[in-house]
Amino acid sequence: MAYIQIKPTDSLFFGGGKPFNAGSDSWTDSSFLPNPSVIWGALFSLLHKEEIAQKGTNFRTTQEQREKLKIKNIYLYNEEQTTILVPAPLDIFVDSEGKRYKGEYRDVDFISNYELPVINMVDGVDVKPLENSFIEINSLYEEYCQDNFDDLVLFNFDEVFVADYKIGIKIDKRTKTAQENHLYRIDLTQFKKEWSFLIEYESDIVFNQSGILKLGGESKIAHYQKIDKPIGIIDYEGYRDEMIEELKEQNEFKILFKTPTYFKDGWQPQQDGLICANIGKSIPIGGFDMETKKPKEMKKYIPAGSVLVFSKELGEISFIDEDSESYKGFGSYELLTKG
């Protein structure tokens, strides 16, 4: 594996799944984090920038070429403290005062549209899943899997990012003046000084040691550099390997999805043994087909932080459908104990 740190120099716009129509819409649908395909596209364009510059709109790639760049993980990285974050599991609950709660597993004994036999929930307290938050990757193993929720190392959005926005207005190309009823707002995301993206990847093509790339809906400039494996990743890999050995002796395990994930059957994978799920609201993700030069069909992905629990031996794990484009970073997950 190799690692690239990407540090944006400005606020970024990452569009959501809803089309924006100036005139009828005044607020864009946006996401505070990019989909994995956005980062993959920026890195892939960097590898092929000379071909793109020469061929322009005639630039075409094959599936084989695209799969030569595989994103394995996307982290948030604090370079000063070498802290590495992933989306917090959605089976961590909080009340209105921010107190954390661990859900309890129990058999479903009521009628609802929830289709699984076991539910994970908190009784007697008004709580909601911990959303838009992140967990230090080693805290997954040291605290979360040990049911020590009081000592979880969590970060909320405001500790990593600064929310920003921009007001714009559409200009009439003919008169060069502002069009009436075409004022709009775009939500933006900006990293705090010490934070950046850390990308774990595999590629047959070698990146330069450092440079600049374009990222986000407005193609803002970001600096990148290849770095050695951070100490936090080295520690995490030790915990992960121990966990996998432990899970081989059990008949239940938990999957935490670290990036959005697509399943053909909606929110359920084509995998037997699924007994419980804590998932968030689905995310519509489309994209642009680099072969046909046409927009892709919009698909619904379960969000990062979603948790699935299986009652079965670990064995062979394959959750990702063929058309999920996992090489772009979709469907990254951790294997954990049920707790």
Side-chain angles (χ1 to χ4, degrees), residues 201-219:
Y201 71 96
E202 290 180 349
S203 178
D204 295 336
I205 309 172
V206 179
F207 287 94
N208 292 330
Q209 184 61 38
S210 62
I212 60 173
L213 52 75
K214 294 181 178 180
L215 190 65
E218 297 179 308
S219 296

Side-chain angles (χ1 to χ4, degrees), residues 33 39 48 54 87 100 116 126 132 157 164 235 284 288 318 331:
L33 280 177
I39 292 177
H48 296 274
Q54 291 173 1
R100 304 165 192 166
L116 301 177
D126 186 14
N132 296 334
F157 175 88
D164 199 359
D235 293 340
F288 192 75
S318 179

Side-chain angles (χ1 to χ4, degrees), residues 269-323:
Q270 295 178 332
Q271 186 84 208
D272 63 339
L274 178 62
I275 60 170
C276 185
N278 289 85
I279 60 175
K281 184 178 179 181
S282 63
I283 304 171
I285 297 177
F288 192 75
D289 194 304
M290 299 176 73
E291 288 188 40
T292 65
K293 298 298 180 181
K294 295 180 180 179
K296 292 181 178 179
E297 174 190 358
M298 196 72 70
K299 298 177 180 178
K300 289 185 177 181
Y301 287 64
I302 64 170
S306 294
V307 174
L308 301 181
V309 179
F310 290 83
S311 178
K312 59 180 293 184
E313 293 182 357
L314 190 58
E316 181 93 13
I317 299 295
S318 179
F319 294 105
I320 311 305
D321 293 301
E322 291 181 2
D323 55 354

Side-chain angles (χ1 to χ4, degrees), residues 6-141:
I6 299 177
K7 192 169 184 62
T9 59
D10 202 349
S11 54
L12 300 172
F13 168 67
F14 303 114
K18 178 184 176 183
F20 175 74
N21 298 307
S24 59
D25 295 325
S26 60
W27 202 318
T28 60
D29 180 38
S30 59
S31 171
F32 69 87
L33 280 177
N35 294 320
S37 53
V38 173
I39 292 177
W40 179 91
L43 293 175
F44 187 81
S45 297
L46 193 65
L47 291 174
H48 296 274
K49 63 180 180 179
E50 292 184 3
E51 295 176 71
I52 294 172
Q54 291 173 1
K55 298 179 181 180
T57 57
N58 293 320
F59 176 68
R60 297 288 192 278
T61 63
T62 64
Q63 185 71 15
E64 182 180 359
Q65 286 177 307
R66 292 193 291 274
E67 291 189 8
K68 286 184 177 180
L69 172 61
K70 295 182 175 68
I71 289 182
K72 309 305 271 184
N73 280 294
I74 299 173
Y75 303 110
L76 299 179
Y77 179 53
N78 185 312
E79 56 193 282
E80 294 181 2
Q81 301 178 2
T82 65
T83 302
I84 295 170
L85 307 182
V86 296
L90 291 175
D91 61 354
I92 299 174
F93 299 91
V94 292
D95 62 18
S96 59
E97 297 180 353
K99 182 179 179 180
R100 304 165 192 166
Y101 294 84
K102 175 183 181 294
E104 299 295 331
Y105 293 102
R106 64 182 179 87
D107 294 338
V108 174
D109 55 2
F110 52 86
I111 298 174
S112 75
N113 59 358
Y114 181 76
E115 304 172 9
L116 301 177
V118 176
I119 192 167
N120 178 270
M121 60 185 295
V122 177
D123 286 322
V125 185
D126 186 14
V127 296
K128 63 179 180 179
L130 181 65
E131 298 179 320
N132 296 334
S133 297
F134 311 95
I135 186 169
E136 196 277 321
I137 193 164
N138 290 305
S139 188
L140 270 178
Y141 295 91

Side-chain angles (χ1 to χ4, degrees), residues 125-179:
V125 185
D126 186 14
V127 296
K128 63 179 180 179
L130 181 65
E131 298 179 320
N132 296 334
S133 297
F134 311 95
I135 186 169
E136 196 277 321
I137 193 164
N138 290 305
S139 188
L140 270 178
Y141 295 91
E142 293 180 299
E143 283 83 34
Y144 174 76
C145 287
Q146 306 303 320
D147 293 338
N148 182 9
F149 278 36
D150 290 337
D151 293 330
L152 289 173
V153 183
L154 296 170
F155 290 75
N156 60 38
F157 175 88
D158 295 333
E159 293 178 280
V160 181
F161 300 101
V162 176
D164 199 359
Y165 67 91
K166 181 173 71 174
I167 301 295
I169 191 167
K170 186 177 181 181
I171 301 298
D172 189 307
K173 294 181 181 179
R174 182 177 56 85
T175 64
K176 307 301 181 183
T177 59
Q179 286 189 235

